[in-house]
């Protein structure tokens, strides 16, 4: 049996749900008393969707039928209304968004009741939202021909702050077990009152779609009272006439109103016209079936959401109902990021919508900062908004949404890396910086590893110019190898000639070459990948044992120990330790520290703030010598015969090793020592030549 619309709407307006909110009292008729909660504005459960109806342009001006009945605000209600109207919203323009959302809800309720068999007046009417501006009279009128409101609903929905007709409607639908009305926008029941930010007076003409209903006029200046008056010739729906304050007359300008609609309400489910011209031209592309969206539509929508002129390089059209309801359309630009985009101060490129209504054009909480290059739209019905629907509540749901979106973007990029290798490498060349930033800034180990799968580096076993991923490196690892080795150098030539690379090349182990100065910091932060340690070649060299080197061509073990002690005494506080190493071949010595990447970063960023002695104390460098190298052998011979020259040679070798390690901020500091060393060598050579010159003999 079909339920009559009158009884159905009566149940909607009088559900058994107790709403903790104030009501307006009438001198003639009193709405059901409800006690106000002190935490009303802070409780999201108590503050849910908005009022019901709206209507299109009226063909004739409504005529007064009855006397206006005056209703007075309670003292608490006046205070709350003042808060809602003046303090809740950060921008005045959002009142247009709120009223259009109310109008859209009214139309959606009408559509829903029509589809479920309810008897309604003019059930076959074409629904529309009409907006008109009048600069002369400083008015803004917003109308719809949706479900409309009865007198009781006007009192209940407009006379009670934070009592949402939309919320009650959806609750009733849920309790009756019917199909859910998913396009209802309202949540908190305060949106209507945002109009008082700009209005000196508001008039609401409304007539319910229930057969036999009467039209009414609701009027208030928001200061303490409102009136309800029966009217004739009111068409079905709702018409809101906002009499603007002098300082807010800009909202009676057609272009201003159109700009606000395009910003916030471009994708509402109903046509929106301003002074007879349709304003919302774009479709909510993210809600369409991905198969229905062609490349041209993607390009147009990308340019709209990103304010750019290029095309999207990659696009991710993502829809899921678990673990959250998410509708997302995300783009990666084709053009390279500019200087401002690379800055961490740059805004997020993703806009947040809720049921096709813009909540925030630059939603910072939806994606981590390192994904700020991604443009697009995210629409979710599960997001927890604050009362003004402008800010996201910091909750576990937001963190879950951010995690879901981030993981989906990473999986998408990994798919592109496998299926479109050339396109991905072009993307990595332009946007790899952001991925590396993600590893450095992320606190989640799993997220670091997922980003790590996208990194690309040159490898010692591959020709110059070819790159390899970390998973590919792991697949090529030799049996028993437990570390992923990397070497930081400005170029491949310097990397291949590095003293730190000699031992691993001799063992035929692959080494990743990092050419960007921050690459080693990225890999140091990654620490592990696929249960394998990410290790710098400098650290691998430092891990060698302290046993003496007894190989052919090396100094005797005893001489190695004596020379190490002598060098330590010579260099003093500059070195923490001196030892012989068997990992060098063509180089006489190297310097190692515990974390070379962190040490180099320290020298570049803070080294100038410390004296030379302080820097050495902080770095604690370990000087490692090659006992088979001719220079080291010569110093061992000269340290007693020519101590001055051997000291100069030792200091220069140590300085050379520090430069090779990247631990010298300004190599020009070495010049004095080099000049002194050259002078001593020349003097020694001159003395040697004079002593070997044959003495002249005299003829008799």
């Amino acid at each position: 049996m079909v339920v009559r619309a009158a009884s159905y709407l009566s149940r909607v307006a009088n559900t058994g749900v107790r709403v903790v909110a104030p009501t307006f009292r009438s001198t003639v008729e009193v709405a059901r008393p409800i006690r106000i909660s002190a935490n009303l504005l802070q409780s999201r459960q108590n503050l849910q969707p908005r009022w019901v109806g709206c209507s299109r342009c009226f063909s004739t001006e409504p005529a007064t039928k009855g006397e206006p009945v005056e209703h007075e605000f309670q003292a608490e209600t006046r205070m709350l209304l003042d808060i809602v109207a003046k303090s809740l919203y950060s921008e005045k323009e959002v009142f247009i968004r709120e009223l259009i959302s109310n109008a859209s809800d009214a139309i959606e309720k009408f559509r829903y009741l029509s589809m479920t068999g309810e008897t309604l007046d003019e059930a076959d009417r074409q629904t529309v939202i009409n907006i008109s501006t009048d600069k002369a009279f400083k008015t803004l009128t917003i109308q719809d021909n949706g479900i409309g409101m009865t007198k009781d609903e006007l009192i209940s929905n407009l006379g009670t702050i934070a009592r949402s007709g939309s919320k009650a409607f959806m609750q009733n639908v849920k309790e009756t077990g019917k199909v859910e009305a998913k396009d209802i926008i309202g949540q908190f029941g305060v949106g209507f009152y945002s109009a008082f930010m700009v209005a000196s007076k508001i008039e609401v003409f409304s007539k319910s779609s229930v057969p036999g209903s009467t039209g009414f006029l609701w009027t208030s200046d928001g200061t303490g009272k409102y009136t309800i008056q029966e009217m004739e010739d009111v068409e079905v729906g709702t018409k809101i006439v906002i009499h603007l304050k002098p300082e807010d007359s800009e909202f009676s300008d057609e272009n201003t109103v159109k700009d606000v609609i395009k910003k916030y309400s471009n994708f509402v489910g109903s046509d929106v016209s301003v002074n007879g011209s349709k304003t919302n031209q774009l479709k909510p592309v993210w809600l369409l079936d991905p198969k229905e969206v062609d490349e041209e539509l993607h390009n147009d929508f990308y340019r709209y959401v990103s304010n750019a002129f290029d095309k999207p390089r990659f696009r991710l059209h993502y829809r899921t109902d678990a673990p959250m309801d998410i509708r997302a359309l995300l783009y990666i630009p084709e053009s390279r990021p500019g200087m401002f985009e690379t800055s961490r101060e740059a805004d997020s490129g993703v806009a947040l919508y809720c049921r096709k209504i813009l909540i925030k054009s630059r939603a910072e909480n939806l994606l981590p900062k390192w994904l700020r290059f991604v443009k697009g739209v995210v629409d979710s019905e599960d997001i927890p908004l604050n009362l003004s629907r402008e800010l996201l509540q910091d909750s576990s749901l937001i963190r879950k949404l951010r995690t879901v979106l981030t993981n989906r973007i990473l999986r998408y990029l990994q798919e592109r890396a496998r299926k479109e290798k050339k396109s991905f490498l072009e993307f990595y060349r332009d946007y790899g910086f952001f991925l590396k930033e993600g590893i450095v800034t992320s606190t989640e180990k799993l997220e670091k590893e997922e980003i790590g799968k996208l990194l690309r580096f040159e490898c010692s076993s591959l020709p110059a110019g070819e790159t390899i991923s970390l998973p590919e490196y792991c697949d090529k690892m030799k049996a028993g190898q437990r570390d992923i080795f990397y070497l930081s150098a400005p170029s491949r030539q310097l990397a291949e000639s590095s003293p730190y690379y000699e031992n691993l090349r001799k063992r035929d182990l692959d080494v990743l070459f990092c050419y960007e100065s921050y690459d080693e910091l990225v890999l140091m932060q990654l620490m592990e990948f696929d249960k394998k340690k990410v290790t710098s070649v400098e650290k691998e060299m430092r891990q060698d044992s302290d046993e003496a080197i007894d190989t052919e061509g090396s100094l005797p073990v005893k001489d190695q120990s004596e020379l190490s002690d002598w060098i330590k005494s010579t260099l003093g506080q500059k070195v923490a330790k001196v030892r012989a190493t068997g990992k060098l071949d063509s180089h006489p010595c190297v310097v190692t520290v515990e974390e070379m990447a962190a040490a180099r970063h320290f020298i570049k960023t803070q080294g100038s703030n410390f004296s030379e002695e302080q820097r050495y104390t902080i770095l604690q460098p370990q000087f490692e010598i090659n006992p088979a190298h001719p220079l080291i052998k010569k110093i061992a011979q000269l340290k007693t015969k020519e101590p001055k020259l051997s000291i100069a040679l030792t200091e220069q070798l140590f300085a050379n090793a520090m430069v090779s390690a990247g631990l010298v901020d300004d190599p020009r500091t070495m010049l004095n020592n080099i000049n002194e060393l050259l002078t001593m060598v020349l003097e020694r050579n001159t003395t040697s030549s004079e002593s070997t010159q044959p003495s002249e003999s005299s003829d008799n």
Side-chain angles (χ1 to χ4, degrees):
M1 181 176 180
V2 178
V3 181
R4 287 184 56 82
S7 62
Y8 185 87
L9 293 177
S10 175
R11 291 200 310 274
V12 170
N14 297 284
T15 57
V17 179
R18 178 170 295 178
V19 181
V20 184
T23 60
F24 299 129
R25 285 186 177 176
S26 166
T27 56
V28 176
E29 179 179 356
V30 180
R32 182 172 52 179
I34 302 175
R35 181 169 299 175
I36 184 169
S37 168
N39 296 321
L40 177 62
L41 290 178
Q42 300 176 7
S43 173
R44 184 173 178 269
Q45 290 181 329
N46 295 340
L47 302 179
Q48 301 286 339
R50 40 171 78 64
W51 54 281
V52 193
C54 287
S55 159
R56 64 190 172 102
C57 296
F58 297 94
S59 57
T60 59
E61 193 68 25
T64 301
K65 183 177 180 181
E67 292 297 321
V69 178
E70 186 176 275
H71 300 246
E72 186 173 348
F73 291 96
Q74 296 179 13
E76 300 94 333
T77 303
R78 288 199 300 271
M79 184 184 301
L80 184 57
L81 179 61
D82 188 63
I83 292 173
V84 172
K86 298 179 181 178
S87 305
L88 190 59
Y89 297 92
S90 59
E91 299 290 341
K92 287 185 177 182
E93 64 184 18
V94 298
F95 84 92
I96 297 178
R97 176 195 71 183
E98 298 296 300
L99 296 184
I100 290 177
S101 298
N102 289 345
S104 178
D105 280 356
I107 289 174
E108 291 301 329
K109 293 168 192 174
F110 167 75
R111 290 173 180 166
Y112 177 81
L113 294 179
S114 297
M115 289 188 297
T116 54
E118 297 294 334
T119 303
L120 302 173
D121 282 344
E122 303 177 33
D124 59 346
R125 64 182 181 267
Q126 192 72 26
T127 54
V128 66
I129 300 172
N130 285 315
I131 299 175
S132 58
T133 59
D134 191 326
K135 280 189 173 182
F137 290 95
K138 294 183 176 59
T139 61
L140 173 65
T141 303
I142 300 178
Q143 316 162 63
D144 73 79
N145 55 353
I147 195 65
M149 288 181 283
T150 64
K151 180 180 180 181
D152 288 343
E153 289 168 342
L154 280 169
I155 294 174
S156 177
N157 296 332
L158 301 190
T160 307
I161 299 176
R163 194 274 178 192
S164 169
S166 293
K167 176 70 171 181
F169 181 88
M170 295 174 71
Q171 182 68 27
N172 185 276
V173 168
K174 184 176 180 181
E175 290 175 356
T176 55
K178 296 185 178 182
V179 179
E180 184 179 356
K182 293 186 176 181
D183 290 328
I184 302 297
I185 300 168
Q187 293 189 43
F188 300 115
V190 297
F192 169 75
Y193 306 98
S194 63
F196 283 109
M197 290 189 294
V198 299
S200 59
K201 183 175 74 171
I202 297 178
E203 295 175 318
V204 180
F205 299 87
S206 191
K207 181 180 178 181
S208 174
S209 294
V210 176
S213 294
T214 303
F216 291 92
L217 167 62
W218 184 99
T219 306
S220 177
D221 60 4
T223 59
K225 298 178 182 179
Y226 72 93
T227 63
I228 294 181
Q229 183 176 3
E230 189 173 336
M231 303 290 288
E232 292 182 340
D233 301 324
V234 177
E235 292 191 4
V236 174
T238 301
K239 171 183 175 181
I240 304 174
V241 181
I242 302 170
H243 299 267
L244 297 165
K245 299 174 183 177
E247 63 269 24
D248 297 309
S249 59
E250 63 183 295
F251 295 108
S252 63
D253 178 74
E254 178 179 334
N255 291 329
T256 299
V257 173
K258 283 184 175 180
D259 289 342
V260 175
I261 294 172
K262 288 178 181 178
K263 180 178 179 180
Y264 292 104
S265 306
N266 221 1
F267 304 103
V268 291
S270 302
D271 290 344
V272 180
S273 296
V274 178
N275 295 334
S277 174
K278 185 178 178 182
T279 304
N280 56 335
Q281 302 286 346
L282 291 177
K283 297 178 181 178
V285 181
W286 67 92
L287 298 180
L288 301 178
D289 188 323
K291 297 178 182 178
E292 298 176 0
V293 185
D294 58 21
E295 185 174 355
E296 184 178 357
L297 186 54
H298 271 302
N299 291 343
D300 290 342
F301 186 71
Y302 162 75
R303 293 185 183 114
Y304 170 77
V305 297
S306 64
N307 292 319
F309 298 98
D310 60 337
K311 297 178 181 179
R313 185 195 304 258
F314 295 135
R315 55 178 179 258
L316 170 60
H317 202 159
Y318 178 51
R319 305 177 67 178
T320 185
D321 296 318
M324 299 180 67
D325 173 81
I326 301 173
R327 301 291 184 268
L329 182 52
L330 304 173
Y331 298 101
I332 295 176
E334 185 178 57
S335 60
R336 299 183 65 179
M339 179 178 65
F340 295 107
E341 285 85 355
T342 55
S343 169
R344 278 188 59 80
E345 302 303 317
D347 292 332
S348 166
V350 176
L352 172 65
Y353 283 74
C354 183
R355 300 174 187 259
K356 298 183 286 189
I357 300 298
L358 177 68
I359 303 302
K360 204 170 184 183
S361 58
R362 295 289 181 264
E364 299 292 338
N365 293 5
L366 289 184
L367 291 175
K369 196 72 175 177
W370 63 269
L371 279 175
R372 59 189 175 277
F373 63 89
V374 176
K375 314 295 182 184
V377 168
V378 173
D379 193 323
S380 176
E381 298 178 11
D382 294 334
I383 51 176
L385 305 175
N386 75 348
L387 196 57
S388 65
R389 297 201 305 143
E390 293 177 305
L391 302 172
L392 301 181
Q393 305 267 1
D394 188 15
S395 70
S396 59
L397 276 177
I398 293 300
R399 290 191 293 273
K400 183 185 292 185
L401 177 60
R402 182 167 58 243
T403 299
V404 170
L405 289 172
T406 302
N407 290 342
R408 186 64 187 89
I409 291 172
L410 288 174
R411 288 201 308 273
Y412 174 80
L413 291 175
Q414 290 164 10
E415 291 169 6
R416 299 281 71 74
R418 291 193 300 269
K419 298 177 181 179
E420 303 175 28
K421 187 174 181 180
K422 182 179 178 181
S423 297
F424 175 79
L425 289 177
E426 290 175 352
F427 156 78
Y428 184 78
R429 180 193 62 203
D430 295 339
Y431 289 91
F433 166 84
F434 294 95
L435 303 178
K436 295 171 183 178
E437 179 189 318
I439 289 179
V440 173
T441 58
S442 176
T443 57
E444 301 292 332
K445 185 176 183 296
L446 180 60
E447 183 176 287
K448 287 176 184 280
E449 288 213 17
E450 290 300 313
I451 302 173
K453 294 177 182 178
L454 300 172
L455 299 181
R456 296 293 185 273
F457 298 102
E458 285 194 16
C459 182
S460 58
S461 62
L462 296 177
E466 288 190 28
T467 58
I468 191 174
S469 67
L470 293 181
E472 290 170 338
Y473 179 99
C474 292
D475 291 340
K476 293 178 61 179
M477 288 174 65
K478 294 182 178 296
Q481 182 180 343
R482 297 181 180 179
D483 296 79
I484 298 172
F485 295 112
Y486 68 89
L487 170 61
S488 177
S491 67
R492 188 179 182 101
Q493 180 182 3
L494 290 174
E496 290 178 334
S497 61
S498 170
Y500 302 100
Y501 174 55
E502 282 187 342
N503 180 57
L504 296 176
R505 179 173 54 192
K506 189 164 44 178
R507 293 163 57 189
D508 196 27
L509 293 177
D510 283 346
V511 176
L512 300 176
F513 292 151
C514 307
Y515 302 138
E516 298 292 344
S517 58
Y518 48 76
D519 281 348
E520 58 180 344
L521 287 175
V522 173
L523 293 177
M524 184 180 75
Q525 287 291 326
L526 183 58
M527 293 190 292
E528 285 188 0
F529 182 84
D530 192 23
K531 298 181 180 180
K532 299 173 180 65
K533 291 183 178 180
V534 181
T535 306
S536 69
V537 293
E538 296 97 340
K539 191 166 188 176
E540 186 276 337
M541 175 168 282
R542 190 179 177 91
Q543 292 170 349
D544 197 8
S545 65
D546 289 337
E547 294 180 5
I549 309 302
D550 188 11
T551 58
E552 186 178 353
S554 297
L555 286 171
V557 174
K558 181 180 179 182
D559 291 348
Q560 291 178 33
S561 177
E562 291 178 356
L563 180 61
S564 296
D565 293 341
W566 181 84
I567 292 175
K568 176 66 177 74
S569 174
T570 299
L571 296 177
Q573 298 299 318
K574 292 182 179 180
V575 293
K577 186 177 182 180
V578 179
R579 70 171 188 172
T581 179
K583 292 185 176 182
L584 293 173
D585 186 16
S586 61
H587 292 80
C589 56
V590 293
V591 163
T592 61
V593 296
E594 187 60 35
E595 288 293 349
M596 190 66 79
R600 279 193 277 257
H601 183 70
F602 163 75
I603 291 296
K604 289 177 182 177
T605 58
Q606 302 180 53
S608 59
N609 298 329
F610 298 88
S611 66
E612 183 180 74
E613 292 77 11
Q614 290 173 324
R615 289 199 295 270
Y616 286 126
T617 302
I618 294 170
L619 294 175
Q620 292 287 298
Q622 183 169 288
F623 192 42
E624 310 201 14
I625 59 175
N626 177 5
H629 196 276
L631 273 175
I632 300 301
K633 290 180 179 179
K634 195 65 176 176
I635 290 175
Q637 296 174 7
L638 292 174
K639 63 182 174 53
T640 53
K641 297 178 181 179
E642 299 186 46
K644 186 177 180 181
L645 177 60
S646 57
I647 289 173
L649 285 170
T650 301
E651 289 179 344
Q652 188 59 50
L653 285 177
F654 175 73
N656 292 349
M658 290 290 288
V659 171
S660 178
L663 298 177
V664 176
D665 186 39
D666 187 355
R668 289 176 296 183
T669 56
M670 299 167 49
L671 294 178
N672 287 337
N673 191 59
I674 292 175
N675 291 335
E676 290 178 6
L677 180 60
L678 290 174
T679 301
M680 282 188 283
V681 170
L682 288 174
E683 289 177 351
R684 184 175 184 276
N685 185 61
T686 301
T687 303
S688 177
S689 298
E690 291 176 352
S691 62
T692 57
Q693 189 176 30
S695 59
E696 293 183 2
S697 58
S698 57
D699 294 331
N700 293 322

